[in-house]
Amino acid sequence: MHLNHDSNAPASPNISFDDFLKVDIRVGTIVSANLFPEAKKPAYQLVIDFGETIGKKKSSAQITTQYSLDELVGRQVAAVVNFPPRQIGKFMSEVLTLGFPNENGEVILFAPDKAVPNGARLF
């Protein structure tokens, strides 16, 4: 599936509210961030804590141009937690960390503007 990152692209076709509820988007706190030198495109390996029920999950994120490793730890982010895990090289990415492209197409992380409990679900 290819997503259109163009800010001028028309909205996607309508879906039902039940379809929206199938996508489980949660907030978590990044507890570790490391370089991912084996990735085809520059990326970090993140470990994100989604609270007691979901726990800590791994994610590969192509955010190296906008974020340093030091500024990621402790930051809250949003992620889809119910996609199947995806093998990226030797790394198993368990969640899809969410962001929006800036004017250069580089990912800017999506997060709440105030702290919320880890594991809180987007609605």
Side-chain angles (χ1 to χ4, degrees), residues 2 4 9 13 18 22 25 32 35 52 58 63 72-73 79 81 89 94 96 98 101 104 116:
H2 176 71
N4 189 340
D18 287 341
K22 291 177 186 177
I25 300 172
S32 73
L35 293 174
E52 189 174 316
K58 296 182 290 183
I63 55 174
L72 290 171
V73 175
V81 298
E94 300 171 301
L96 175 65
L98 300 175
N104 298 320
V116 297

Side-chain angles (χ1 to χ4, degrees), residues 6-122:
D6 180 3
S7 61
N8 295 317
S12 295
N14 288 346
I15 61 171
S16 71
F17 189 68
D18 287 341
D19 288 337
F20 169 73
L21 291 176
K22 291 177 186 177
V23 181
D24 193 351
I25 300 172
R26 305 284 181 121
V27 70
T29 300
I30 299 172
V31 294
S32 73
N34 295 293
L35 293 174
F36 189 4
E38 300 87 9
K40 291 180 183 176
K41 294 181 180 179
Y44 293 141
Q45 294 175 343
L46 307 177
V47 176
I48 306 167
D49 184 355
F50 292 98
E52 189 174 316
T53 302
I54 296 174
K56 294 177 182 174
K57 299 292 181 181
K58 296 182 290 183
S59 181
S60 172
Q62 295 174 359
I63 55 174
T64 59
T65 59
Q66 293 296 313
Y67 301 94
S68 68
L69 290 171
D70 292 341
E71 66 185 308
L72 290 171
V73 175
R75 179 186 185 95
Q76 284 197 305
V77 294
V80 176
V81 298
N82 65 332
F83 284 153
R86 185 171 175 215
Q87 189 76 41
I88 303 173
K90 295 180 181 180
F91 185 76
M92 183 64 74
S93 188
E94 300 171 301
V95 299
L96 175 65
T97 304
L98 300 175
F100 293 98
N102 67 10
E103 60 278 353
N104 298 320
E106 300 161 329
V107 177
I108 305 300
L109 293 170
F110 179 63
D113 63 355
K114 295 184 181 181
V116 297
N118 286 338
R121 186 171 180 173
L122 179 75

